[in-house]
């Protein structure tokens, strides 16, 4: 076969051919097992300039175990259910929160509260599922977590860096199983205790030159094979190695020790402080979704001592995080959510504890498209029921996505089957959307 | 929560879905969708709700009614090829070469690439039947059973974690099942009926138990995995964008499974319990149709309840902490229907899944989306496969053997060869198909199907009615039989108890008497010691005996009554059963006719799609040919252009040089002229001065002479006049001389001016020529760019045509598709390729030989040697199995998600690059790839072949040999490291990752 010598070599021409092949693959998706994600990586070079500042991002603080709304966002001082702590004024006149969050109170003008959540669910697993997927758990159906949805909707799919990251107190650096039908490309990469992703640095035994040599061998073999058969799958496979190399080149993104000593001091050297600083670093580097877990708020006994201690650790780094994002102009594009699987009972048990409580509780959120300094809904005097503006996990899920510009009423197309992004039975809380 | 309220929120989603579905459908050619609507919409419209007309219940039919192959039925492999040849238009499509085949068949049958020894000996083997022999030896390999067990496990459990049954037990159960060549239908039956109480068969209960026996989960998964239909959306309404999925399908499965639930005993061990009651009333959110769901298989085969003994619904009644067991298990009846109904959807689904095991994708894809709007890429082939699976009694082994021996399976991967062999450009086959389609009419086919369907429904109604009659007749009979058997059991139990009690009375009496004697002997009260206790025990036993005897007197009457009752009831029940069996036979005949009619419709549709795809394939081939011609022409033109451009460039070069020369000349002459001008100006200046001097002196002379006239004789005046006069003359002479010079320089100036003009004119001429030449070049360049664009667009068109052709040819089985290795295949292939597997086999054999050395006789017995080899292999597989886990976690989809998709993520390649696993395996000693390649490293071609034969089952190409030579030349002591780099790169290459 005759080939034209000057038409084949140019990068632009190759790119065109790739685009073309990518397009074909999309059209043929119903005909064969499709490629789950990763295809778009072929359309533009991974190093394409990204407008980091304008990208929308989401940071979730998951108060694992069930944060008490009464010791945080919805205090009831002086009431039989109120417990020993006072309420303090915040930077927004009229809004009071628990005295356990003095630094956060100073940032209230950047934040908003929802005080009227009724998820009617008192089980840890189910509650967490509902709050992170916006759906009730239906047997036989898995839904992608907020991070996977956000990454799918917002992240640049050409980016070698993962769009969905979880910072957990412990655990490994593996891939989470939380993307359901969106496929593993959108599963979280878990940064156990803030460590970088698994296998992201070259082993000691292999020099940079050796790595270059073997990668060059690999590329030559692939080019040769592509002349025999080239499909969306082979392209995606070949591209995944280039993405891995790109991720290795940018590995310092995950290295919190690169932050200044002053910042490290401001956030604190304890784990949660480091994790918050890492979250800031990731957001600044353009990571779409970061979830930081703070554990553990499941205070069936000694609720007050535990909250004093836990929120004491949470308050400073969180408030610093909010303030930093605001100062750096990132808050405008970044949604912050502080959530739990549920709240805690207004009634105080005989062990000075509070139990699981899904029927009248609160979350805190702010940034991106959320109205600043707003309070949505209310509980009654003793906090035993929602008195005004009842919402549930489905409504909140829509609200988060709308706040970062995602049309949550749209659907993802999964292998020809449309999957609604948010629960079609729920709706965003318009009053919270600025 | 009622169904209606749960569904309400879904309406909006459904609308979105419907909108989407509409846009998808619009992509199909309009004519075809109209036709499809005409053919199938009419049939569906006539039909209404399948089972609204069917009522009642029937006994479990005993005999399998699935059609059996006639003795002269062609082999499945030939039927596969026939179907493919029909699509392709020719029975002679190019086959894979030996290298392609040997890799493919190993990956597909034993789940890993072949060993290098196997590749070498297979490539060297000249026997014509070598492929068939290799297939037989691989079907006999222990890895084949493991591959099937893994495939089945991943298919039905979708990588769920093992919770209620340990994974080893489950996988062991599957391996034994495939070792015994258990029918897939039997296996499907066992998974549905197992309740976990049978300790040895507990593994089979994992399917239900690890889904928590949740009805919704089971309905979805039984629908998807047993029948290939995902009924998720039909839960609340007829499927919004898939016409053939109906709510009645969903609730048919729902009704079969809703009585079953998870039961945990006091120790927390899980079992399946089932209730004797529970119906599902459903309401469609769209039509508000209501109904009580009847258990049924997907194609509409109703599974009626069997008779229940009157007032005795349970064998074990439900109670706290008790596992309920009903007298009639609806789940079991449903599972039995799998075994003996003429329903084909189960067989069709597993044919498709087995096909996907071997081809990397199903004829219907996604595997769980069998429906009218997503037809099989080759429906006739799928029906042939379904027939084949049924005829081979659902044997996965036989099915696989037939498929891999077909030409279709052995199609080449080489596009060039296959395209060259494509007979599509000839019209003959196309017009044959068109004629075949025209020979009958769609209306006839539709009418025939409708008529057969109506008969089927009528037969079904009659059968269900007979079943109701039989149920009514059998219920009291079964109750009487149960009472009789209970009485008989009680009688036997009483007799045994009585015997026991009699012995007890004697011994307690004896003891009491002895104790009493002893007490008397010691002078104690005869009623002291334990005497009263034993006396009382004896009395109690006597009382119980009396009660037993009392019961015994009544019992013969009870038994006699039951016997009488049974005798009275049996004739009616027997008659009802007989009628039922007749109706059942009628129904099966009606069902078969309906299947035949349906198949004719499907065949027409297939013919139509065959015409469509042959036309498309022919168009693609023609497009490619015309593009090739056009491309050749454009490339010729572009060669002309290259020549013209070269000429234009040369002449520009020449002209530019001349322009330079002429410009230099113009400059030189200009300089000369400037010099002449300056001299002329100097001369002018000096002439003017001399003239002024002469004029002034003349004026002085006139004045002096006047003065001398006035004062004649003044000597001073007279002496002054003379020198001044001579000065004046001199000045005059000088002025005149200058005038002469001026005249000369003026001539010079004129001449210089003229010469500049000439030079300039020449330069202008050259410049004009140059401009013209440049314009020509620009024109040629423009044309060349246009040609380049044309070439690019032609190449794109060619690639598009090729891609279209490849897609069709892949779908038709005329070329081999590229299929990604499963996580298991990938892991085992790396273990095989690096040599870790062979090393482990060798080590295991040594352990076995050390533990139980061969006797002298054994050491020369080929059977014993083969057995030991097999033991060593199995031992090695068991040892290495945990290493596959990391591949599963990285390359597999999440738990409970479909596992047949492909995705490539950075964490996979990071693992390959940096995880250490691949590197350390590659760096193994012993008989590893690295060691073997190192042994021949001095001969780079041999090293390249060792790598390519091991990893790709083919010799190295020339270019690969050159690369290996380049890497190994002068490597010195770095040679092993260079080899490691090569091995890693070739394992990480796309060719290794895919099965072709």
């Amino acid at each position: 076969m005759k080939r034209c010598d000057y038409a084949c070599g140019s990068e632009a021409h190759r790119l065109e051919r790739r685009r073309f092949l990518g397009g074909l693959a999309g059209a043929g998706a119903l005909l064969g097992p499709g490629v789950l994600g990763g295809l778009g990586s072929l359309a533009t070079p991974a190093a394409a300039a990204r407008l980091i500042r304008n990208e929308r991002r989401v940071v979730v603080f998951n108060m694992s175990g069930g944060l008490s709304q009464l010791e945080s966002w919805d205090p009831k001082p002086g009431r039989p259910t109120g417990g020993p702590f006072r309420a303090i004024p915040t930077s927004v006149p009229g809004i009071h929160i628990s005295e356990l969050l003095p630094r956060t109170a100073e940032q209230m003008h950047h934040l908003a509260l929802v005080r009227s959540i009724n998820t009617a669910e008192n089980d840890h697993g189910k509650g967490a599922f509902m709050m992170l997927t916006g759906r009730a758990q239906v047997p036989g159906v898995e839904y992608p977590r907020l991070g996977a949805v956000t990454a799918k909707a917002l992240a640049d799919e050409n980016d070698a860096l993962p769009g969905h990251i979880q910072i957990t107190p412990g655990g490994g650096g593996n891939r989470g199983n939380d993307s359901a039908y969106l496929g593993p490309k959108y599963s979280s990469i878990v940064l156990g205790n803030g460590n970088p992703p698994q296998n992201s640095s070259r082993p000691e035994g292999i020099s940079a030159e050796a790595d270059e040599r073997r990668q060059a061998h690999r590329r030559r073999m692939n080019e040769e094979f592509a002349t025999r058969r080239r499909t969306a799958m082979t392209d995606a496979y070949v591209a995944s190695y280039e993405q891995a190399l790109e991720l290795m080149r940018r590995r310092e993104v995950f290295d919190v020790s690169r932050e200044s000593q002053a910042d490290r001091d401001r956030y604190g050297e304890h784990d949660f402080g480091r994790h918050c600083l890492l979250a800031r670093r990731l957001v600044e580097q353009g990571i779409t979704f970061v979830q930081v877990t703070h554990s553990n708020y499941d205070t069936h006994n000694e609720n007050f001592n535990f909250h004093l201690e836990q929120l004491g650790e949470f308050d400073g780094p969180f408030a610093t995080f909010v303030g930093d994002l605001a100062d750096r102009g990132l808050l405008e594009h970044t949604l912050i959510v502080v959530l739990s699987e549920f709240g805690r009972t207004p009634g105080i048990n005989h062990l000075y504890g509070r139990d699981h409580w899904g029927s009248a509780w609160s979350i805190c959120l702010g940034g991106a498209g959320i109205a600043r300094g707003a309070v949505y809904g209310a509980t009654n005097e003793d906090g035993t029921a929602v008195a005004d503006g009842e919402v549930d996990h489905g409504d909140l899920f829509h609200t988060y996505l709308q706040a970062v510009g995602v049309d949550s009423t749209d659907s993802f197309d999964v292998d020809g089957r449309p999957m609604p992004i948010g629960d079609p039975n729920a709706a965003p809380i318009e009053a919270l959307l600025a | 929560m009622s169904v209606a309220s749960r569904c309400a929120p879904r309406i909006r989603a459904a609308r979105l879905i419907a909108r989407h579905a509409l846009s998808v459908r619009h992509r199909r050619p309009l004519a075809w969708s109209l036709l499809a609507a005409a053919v199938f919409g009419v049939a569906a419209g006539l039909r209404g709700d399948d089972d609204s007309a069917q009522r009642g219940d029937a006994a479990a039919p005993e005999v399998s009614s699935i059609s059996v192959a006639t003795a002269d039925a062609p082999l499945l492999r030939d039927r596969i090829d026939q179907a493919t040849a029909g699509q392709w238009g020719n029975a002679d499509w190019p086959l894979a070469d030996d290298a392609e085949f040997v890799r493919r068949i190993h990956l597909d049958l034993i789940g890993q690439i072949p060993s290098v020894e196997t590749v070498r000996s297979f490539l060297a083997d000249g026997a014509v039947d070598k492929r068939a022999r290799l297939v037989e030896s691989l079907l006999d390999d222990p890895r084949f059973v493991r591959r099937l067990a893994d495939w089945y496990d991943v298919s039905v459990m979708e990588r769920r974690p093992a919770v209620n049954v340990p994974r080893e037990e489950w996988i062991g159960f599957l391996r034994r099942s495939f070792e015994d060549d258990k029918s897939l239908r039997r296996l499907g039956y066992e998974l549905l009926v197992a309740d976990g109480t049978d300790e040895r068969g507990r593994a089979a209960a994992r399917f239900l138990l690890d889904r928590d026996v949740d009805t919704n989960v089971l309905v979805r998964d039984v629908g998807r995995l047993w029948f290939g239909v995902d009924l998720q959306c039909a839960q609340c309404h007829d499927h919004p964008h898939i016409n053939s999925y109906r709510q009645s399908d969903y609730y048919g499965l729902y009704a079969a499974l809703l009585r079953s639930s998870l039961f945990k005993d006091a120790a927390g061990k899980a079992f399946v319990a089932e209730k004797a009651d529970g119906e599902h009333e459903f309401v469609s959110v769209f039509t508000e149709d209501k109904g009580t769901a009847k258990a049924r298989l997907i194609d509409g085969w109703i599974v009626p309840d069997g008779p229940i003994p009157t007032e005795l619904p349970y064998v074990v009644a439900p109670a706290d902490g008790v596992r309920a067991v009903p007298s009639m298990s609806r789940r079991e009846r449903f599972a039995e229907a799998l075994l003996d109904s003429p329903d084909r959807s189960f067989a069709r689904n597993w044919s498709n899944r087995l096909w996907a095991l071997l081809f990397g994708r199903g004829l219907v894809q996604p595997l769980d989306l069998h429906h009218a709007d997503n037809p099989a890429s080759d429906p006739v082939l799928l029906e042939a496969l379904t027939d084949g699976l049924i005829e081979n009694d659902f044997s996965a082994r036989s099915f696989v053997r037939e498929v891999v021996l077909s030409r279709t399976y052995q199609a080449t991967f080489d596009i060039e060869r296959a395209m060259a062999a494509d007979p599509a450009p000839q019209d003959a086959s196309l017009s044959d198909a068109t004629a075949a389609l025209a020979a009958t009419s769609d209306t006839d086919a539709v009418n025939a199907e409708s008529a057969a369907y109506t008969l089927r429904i009528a037969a079904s109604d009659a059968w269900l009615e007979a079943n109701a009659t039989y149920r009514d007749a059998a219920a009291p009979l079964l109750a009487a039989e149960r009472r009789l058997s209970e009485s008989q059991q009680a009688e036997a139990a009483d007799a045994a108890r009585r015997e026991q009690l009699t012995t007890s009375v004697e011994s307690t009496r004896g003891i009491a008497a002895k104790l009493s004697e002893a007490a008397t002997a010691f002078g104690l009260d005869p009623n002291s010691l334990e005497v009263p206790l034993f006396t009382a025990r004896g009395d109690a036993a006597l009382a119980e005996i009396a009660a037993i005897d009392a019961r015994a007197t009544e019992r013969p009457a009870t038994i006699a009554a039951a016997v009488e009752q049974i005798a009275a009831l049996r004739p009616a029940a027997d008659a009802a059963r007989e009628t039922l069996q007749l109706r059942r036979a009628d129904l099966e005949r009606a069902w078969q006719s309906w299947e035949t009619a349906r198949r004719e419709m499907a065949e027409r549709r297939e013919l139509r799609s065959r015409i469509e795809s042959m036309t498309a394939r022919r168009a693609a081939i023609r497009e490619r040919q015309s593009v090739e011609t056009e491309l050749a022409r454009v490339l010729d033109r572009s060669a002309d252009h290259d020549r013209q451009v070269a000429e234009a460039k040369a002449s520009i070069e020449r002209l530019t040089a001349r322009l330079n020369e002429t410009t230099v000349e113009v400059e030189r002459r200009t300089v000369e002229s400037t010099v002449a001008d300056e001299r002329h100006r100097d001369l002018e200046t000096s002439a003017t001065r001399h003239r002024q001097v002469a004029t002034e002196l003349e004026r002085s002379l006139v004045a002096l002479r006047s003065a001398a006239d006035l004062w004649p004789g003044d000597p001073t005046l007279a002496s002054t006049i003379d020198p001044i006069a001579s000065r004046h003359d001199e000045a005059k002479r000088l002025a005149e001389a200058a005038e002469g010079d001026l005249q000369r320089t003026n001539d010079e100036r004129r001449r210089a001016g003229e010469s500049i003009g000439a030079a300039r004119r020449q330069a202008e001429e050259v410049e004009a020529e140059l401009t013209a030449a440049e314009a020509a070049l620009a024109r040629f360049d423009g044309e060349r760019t246009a040609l380049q664009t044309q070439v690019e667009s032609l190449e794109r068109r060619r690639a598009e045509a090729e891609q279209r052709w490849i897609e069709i040819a892949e779908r038709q089985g005329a070329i081999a598709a590229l299929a990604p290795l499963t996580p298991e295949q990938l892991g085992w292939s790396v273990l095989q390729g690096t040599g870790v597997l062979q090393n482990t086999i060798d080590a295991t054999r040594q352990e076995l030989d050390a533990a139980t050395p061969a006797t002298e006789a054994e050491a020369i017995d080929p059977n014993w040697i083969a057995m030991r080899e097999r033991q060593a292999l199995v031992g090695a597989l068991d040892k290495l199995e945990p290493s596959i886990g990391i591949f599963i976690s990285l390359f597999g989809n999440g738990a409970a998600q479909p596992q047949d998709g492909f995705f490539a993520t950075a964490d996979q390649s990071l693992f390959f690059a940096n995880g250490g696993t691949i590197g350390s395996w590659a760096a193994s000693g012993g008989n590893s790839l690295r060691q073997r390649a190192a042994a021949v490293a001095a001969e780079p071609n041999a090293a390249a072949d060792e790598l390519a034969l091991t990893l790709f089952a083919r010799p190295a190409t020339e270019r690969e040999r050159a690369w290996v030579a380049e890497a190994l030349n002068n490597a010195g002591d770095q040679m092993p490291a260079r080899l490691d780099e090569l091995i890693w790169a070739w394992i990480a290459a796309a060719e290794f990752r895919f099965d072709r």
Side-chain angles (χ1 to χ4, degrees), chain B residues 102-365:
Chain B
V102 74
R103 186 172 193 266
R104 187 186 299 170
I105 196 74
H106 277 81
L107 281 166
D108 289 340
L109 296 194
I110 63 166
Q112 55 186 253
I113 57 172
S115 73
V116 71
E117 295 79 25
T118 310
V119 172
R120 284 209 163 94
S121 67
F122 185 77
L123 295 184
D125 190 346
V128 283
D129 65 341
K130 66 176 178 176
R131 291 194 183 190
R133 278 192 290 111
L134 178 60
V135 166
E136 287 312 317
S137 83
L138 293 178
L139 290 174
D140 191 39
D141 191 292
R143 285 167 289 192
F144 174 63
V145 161
R146 285 169 181 247
R147 161 102 164 124
L148 285 182
D150 284 350
W151 159 75
Y152 194 83
D153 165 44
V154 172
S155 296
V156 305
M157 295 312 293
E158 299 185 319
R159 304 200 192 282
R160 282 178 165 75
V163 178
N164 293 303
V165 174
R167 192 183 144 73
E168 306 73 62
E169 261 180 50
W170 161 251
I171 209 81
F173 161 74
L174 292 180
R175 284 178 189 166
R176 278 193 308 281
S177 298
F178 287 110
E179 188 73 59
D180 299 344
D181 202 16
K182 184 185 286 172
S183 113
L184 284 171
R185 192 162 60 159
R186 180 83 209 164
L187 193 51
Y189 165 83
E190 287 176 5
L191 296 199
L192 288 182
V193 298
D195 58 15
T197 52
D198 170 11
E199 266 313 312
R200 289 190 315 136
R202 190 172 154 80
R206 187 176 168 226
F207 177 77
L208 298 176
L209 294 179
D210 277 355
R211 286 173 169 82
D212 295 338
V213 202
D214 182 288
T215 310
N216 282 307
V217 179
L218 286 176
V219 167
R220 175 155 196 235
D221 283 353
V222 170
R224 291 172 53 236
L225 307 171
W226 263 237
F227 303 105
V229 297
D230 186 352
L231 296 164
Q232 190 66 42
C233 297
Q235 183 173 350
C236 304
H237 40 72
D238 287 346
H239 205 286
H241 64 135
I242 299 174
N243 287 335
S244 51
Y245 290 4
R246 308 173 66 86
Q247 209 172 350
S248 47
D249 285 330
Y250 186 90
Y251 285 109
L253 298 183
Y254 196 89
L257 297 161
L258 90 168
R259 295 177 173 181
S260 302
S261 62
L262 187 69
F263 169 81
K264 288 204 171 169
D265 69 9
K269 194 168 179 181
F271 299 92
V272 183
E274 189 172 351
K275 287 193 301 174
D277 57 355
E279 299 294 346
H280 197 83
E281 308 297 327
F282 66 88
V283 181
S284 166
V285 291
F286 289 147
T287 61
E288 297 190 347
D289 282 350
K290 294 177 189 170
T292 301
K294 289 190 188 63
R296 41 171 272 182
L297 307 184
I298 290 299
D299 263 352
W301 181 269
I302 294 182
V303 186
D305 287 347
I308 302 165
T310 311
E311 288 163 5
L312 293 170
Y314 283 101
V315 176
V316 180
D320 252 7
V322 175
R323 191 182 74 92
V325 180
S327 298
M328 186 225 47
S329 161
R330 196 182 264 181
R331 195 179 79 249
E332 204 174 306
R333 303 244 335 154
F334 175 81
E336 279 163 2
L338 275 186
L339 296 182
D340 65 15
S341 81
D343 174 89
R344 287 169 65 83
S345 49
F346 179 84
R348 193 180 293 118
N349 168 56
W350 282 103
S351 302
N352 191 51
R353 287 177 182 271
L354 277 167
W355 185 267
L357 166 74
L358 300 168
F359 284 79
R361 67 170 163 193
L363 294 168
V364 172
Q365 188 74 34

Side-chain angles (χ1 to χ4, degrees), chain A residues 63-74:
Chain A
M63 313 294 266
S64 176
L67 169 68
S68 168
Q69 71 282 6
L70 295 152
E71 274 67 55
S72 56
W73 316 120
D74 194 13

Side-chain angles (χ1 to χ4, degrees), chain B residues 111 389 428 618 685 738 767 839 922 952:
Chain B
L389 187 63
R618 186 174 63 171
T685 313
E767 206 171 349
N839 282 344
F952 307 131

Side-chain angles (χ1 to χ4, degrees), chain B residues 387-398:
Chain B
D387 289 343
L389 187 63
I390 293 169
E391 286 156 20
N392 283 305
D393 194 24
F394 291 80
S395 155
R397 183 186 294 263
S398 310

Side-chain angles (χ1 to χ4, degrees), chain B residues 685-695 730-732 734-735 738:
Chain B
T685 313
S686 106
T688 309
R689 201 176 62 242
H690 289 310
R691 262 196 308 274
Q692 278 173 348
V693 169
T695 309
E730 198 185 341
K732 210 168 167 184
L734 283 172

